[in-house]
Every structure is written in C-alpha cells, then in structure tokens.
Amino acid sequence: MSVGIVETQSVTFDTDLRLESGRILGPITIAYETYGNLNRDRSNAVLITHAWTGSAHVAGRHGEDDQKVGWWDAIVGPGRLLDTDRYFVICSNIIGSCYGSTGPTSINPKTGKRYNLSFPVITVRDMVRAQVLLLDHLGIDRLLTVLGGSMGGMQALEWATCFPERIASAVVLATSGKPSPMAIAMNAVARWAIFNDPTWKKGEYRKNPKDGLALARGIGHITFLSDESMWGKFGRRFSARDGLFDFFGRFEVERYLSYNGYNFVDRFDANSFLYLAKALDLYDVTWGCESLHEALAPVSAPIQFYAFTSDWLYPPYQTEELVNALKDLEKPVEYHLIESSYGHDAFLLEHEAFAPLVKDFLDRVSTGR
C-alpha cells in the first residue's frame, strides 16, 4: 500500500557548519520528508540516505495528479519493507543538492546571489553532520537504522563510524569505502563534458548547460548498468526510426542514453551535479585515520552489507574489504552477495532480492536478538 500524498518540508538552521575543508557554511536549509509516526519513546526512526542525484522524495506522490512516485516507493509504506505502520521513516535531501537543501543553486546571504562556484566543496561526512542537525530538530537521539545505497551507503558508513552512539544499526547497499580510480575517471569525463559546454560559463549560467549535462548523465548511466543488462535491454538493435547506413543513425542504446541525458537536464542542476561528483570522488572512510581498521574501530552497531555481482562501479570486493575488516575487529557484521544482472542500479531495481533479509535484520535489531 502506498503512503499516499506527501509533502516535502524544510527547516533552516542559523548554526554555522564547519566543513571538512575548514570552510564555514551557514545558514543551512535541509529539505526532508517523513512517513509514518514517531512512537512514544522515539525508538522507531529510520533514516533513508539517498544516492547522488536523489532527493528527499522517497515515497508517495506530491499530489493527486503526480504521475511519478518517490524513488524508493516500493519499499516504504504500510506492509512494505519499511512498514510505516511500524516505523517513522525520514529521508533528507543532502546539502550540495538542488532539491531544497542548501547547495550551489541557493542564495548566498553575503552576496544576495546564487552561490554557484563560490559554494564550498563538501564531503559525505559534511552531509551527515547536516543530517545530525535535522535529527536534533526532530528530537530523535538515536535511529533504529540508517539505510542507503551507493552514496547513500557511504552516508550510512559515516553514521556508523562518526556517530556510533546515534544508531542502533545500519544497512549499506552497493557502496564502497573509497571509490576506485576507474570510478573517479568516469566522473572526470562527466565533468569535462560540463566544463567544455560553452554555456556553462564557469558555473555562472542562467540556464542549465544542456548538452554538457546531458552527456555527463549519459556517462553516469553507463556505469549504473552492466554488460548483461545492456544485452538484455538493448542488444545490438538499431533504431527503427533511423536508416542502418544513415551516418547519424543510432543503436537503441544510444537513443536510451540521449533520452535519459536530456530528460535529466530538466530536473537537476549542473553545478550540483559537479559538487556531488566531487564528494563521491573524495569519499574515503579512512579519512583522518591511518588504516581501515582504525577507521572502523568506533563501530558498535550491527551493520548489514549488500553487494551485487554485476556491479562494476562499486564491485563486491570493495564491500568485502569493509566486511573483512569489521570481522577482524569482531564487530557485528552481516554480508550478502546478491546475484544480479542489473549492475549498480540493482539496489534500486531488485528490492525483492534483499527485502526479506533486511526485514529479518530489523526485526532482530528491534527485539535485541
């Protein structure tokens, strides 16, 4: 059952946030949505942390005429994995984004103009510190769990290592303790696409740099899929609209990338895309520590990890490095490798494969088993 019609809320904090870079950001606005009700002892709160270009709108619809449900609607609602008759579910938009939280599209109070590239470089850890402000505002001292995939999984790891006293558990899907040179390289090419669009104007554009951002998103889409999923979805089929020997004729996979790339321009900001790509590349769970074991030593809550066999952006071995280090430290950790052909996007598309396992995990956490 759906959660129905929902509304995105926002709160502004006058508190300055000291970032990992040493810069100060403030005031800070955070957009968020909630589903279900907080129980009397405030022990049933679940935080969903979203991926790169996600938003706070994780479930339901924004109006009767809204044709699109939230990005993880399939797992949030009465009777679903995150049962809103049982849990109080929160999803906040990360800082740096363009969906209501403070980011490069926001107005800089010192200048009265958009931040654009004057916005400071942020990290995943900075995003989590902003989420702490939101939880304090909501009066929630401790989360039952924090759950996320990809960049959302990185946020969940930061909660577990930097704020272990604030969570009872974590669920981490399709993520990495530090992106590989290959992942950074793909983001670098996406950046070039935007930088080389003459309408970008070093971030001072009035309209989104259409061609550069569409190309950047197309590059990203390639990393989200897998060889097997591309064969199944497109094969080598040539577009029925084009002639085989038309110079500008396209395969179906080309049409797909173009369609998704240009649709993306209408819903996401290029500077936000760049800042969040930078945060992904900078992410390293060992930041400020001398080793992975030192970084994971503060973990006290049980963590359930998921990797997907065809994910070549954050392949299973990267998750297994985290799992093995936690086992060495005798921390409560659980690992599931899910057979999937969907690539990195499997955590969004194949919830049926992990939902029963997550449900059992949360039942055990809730009852202290």
Side-chain angles (χ1 to χ4, degrees):
M1 184 183 296
S2 170
V3 296
I5 305 301
V6 297
E7 180 182 356
T8 302
Q9 305 173 67
S10 66
V11 58
T12 299
F13 301 96
D14 291 328
T15 307
D16 288 337
L17 187 67
R18 179 173 291 278
L19 306 174
E20 287 294 301
S21 65
R23 298 273 302 275
I24 300 295
L25 181 64
I28 295 172
T29 296
I30 298 178
Y32 67 99
E33 291 188 8
T34 65
Y35 318 91
N37 297 295
L38 194 61
N39 62 10
R40 186 171 298 176
D41 61 5
R42 299 176 177 269
S43 63
N44 68 332
V46 171
L47 177 66
I48 293 179
T49 46
H50 70 74
W52 187 355
T53 59
S55 70
H57 184 43
V58 73
R61 301 177 189 272
H62 281 151
E64 295 292 348
D65 298 329
D66 190 356
Q67 299 299 307
K68 192 172 183 179
V69 296
W71 57 270
W72 223 355
D73 183 79
I75 73 165
V76 178
R80 297 181 179 179
L81 169 59
L82 297 181
D83 188 342
T84 48
D85 290 334
R86 180 178 181 185
Y87 302 118
F88 179 62
V89 181
I90 311 156
C91 185
S92 72
N93 186 219
I94 54 176
I95 58 171
S97 184
C98 56
Y99 285 131
S101 293
T102 299
T105 63
S106 303
I107 300 300
N108 183 341
K110 294 180 180 178
T111 65
K113 299 179 180 179
R114 279 173 46 139
Y115 277 104
N116 293 333
L117 297 195
S118 69
F119 193 73
V121 170
I122 56 169
T123 67
V124 173
R125 192 165 295 175
D126 295 329
M127 297 170 191
V128 171
R129 287 185 178 132
Q131 290 164 358
V132 170
L133 294 176
L134 176 62
L135 289 193
D136 290 345
H137 168 73
L138 295 174
I140 298 169
D141 294 328
R142 195 165 186 250
L143 293 162
L144 176 67
T145 200
V146 54
L147 179 151
S150 194
M151 180 186 271
M154 296 173 184
Q155 294 166 62
L157 277 176
E158 289 299 295
W159 274 100
T161 55
C162 297
F163 300 96
E165 75 286 355
R166 300 292 299 261
I167 66 169
S169 66
V171 180
V172 178
L173 302 102
T175 201
S176 170
K178 54 183 177 183
S180 68
M182 186 278 294
I184 294 170
M186 297 302 289
N187 283 349
V189 177
R191 276 191 288 271
W192 293 347
I194 295 173
F195 293 162
N196 289 328
D197 187 322
T199 66
W200 182 60
K201 298 180 179 180
K202 295 185 177 179
E204 295 297 324
Y205 50 86
R206 291 188 177 182
K207 291 185 178 180
N208 244 354
K210 182 178 178 182
D211 293 332
L213 183 55
L215 177 54
R217 182 61 171 179
I219 293 166
H221 261 294
I222 296 170
T223 68
F224 303 153
L225 302 173
S226 71
D227 180 62
E228 187 176 351
S229 67
M230 283 195 175
W231 274 109
K233 193 177 183 71
F234 312 109
R236 286 181 48 84
R237 294 189 300 278
F238 207 75
S239 171
R241 302 181 187 180
D242 303 328
L244 183 62
F245 294 104
D246 179 350
F247 183 78
F248 292 102
R250 294 180 295 179
F251 287 91
E252 286 293 347
V253 67
E254 294 178 89
R255 291 185 62 85
Y256 168 84
L257 293 174
S258 176
Y259 175 80
N260 280 282
Y262 282 100
N263 272 358
F264 184 68
V265 173
D266 295 330
R267 69 175 182 86
F268 209 81
D269 175 70
N271 285 341
S272 285
F273 184 92
L274 292 168
Y275 272 90
L276 298 184
K278 187 73 171 179
L280 278 168
D281 292 347
L282 289 174
Y283 183 66
D284 187 343
V285 71
T286 68
W287 180 265
C289 300
E290 294 185 358
S291 68
L292 181 59
H293 285 71
E294 181 184 341
L296 297 177
V299 171
S300 57
I303 306 180
Q304 191 180 54
F305 286 91
Y306 291 88
F308 299 86
T309 53
S310 58
D311 185 352
W312 63 278
L313 181 61
Y314 300 146
Y317 81 85
Q318 294 180 10
T319 298
E320 289 161 7
E321 288 175 353
L322 297 166
V323 171
N324 290 335
L326 286 165
K327 286 181 176 178
D328 289 344
L329 293 166
E330 298 183 342
K331 302 292 184 178
V333 61
E334 187 178 310
Y335 173 57
H336 299 280
L337 179 60
I338 305 295
E339 188 74 32
S340 172
S341 64
Y342 282 93
H344 185 64
D345 266 353
F347 81 94
L348 291 171
L349 301 174
E350 291 196 300
H351 60 277
E352 300 94 342
F354 60 80
L357 297 166
V358 175
K359 183 180 184 301
D360 177 66
F361 178 69
L362 294 181
D363 285 345
R364 285 184 275 126
V365 171
S366 299
T367 58
R369 289 186 281 125

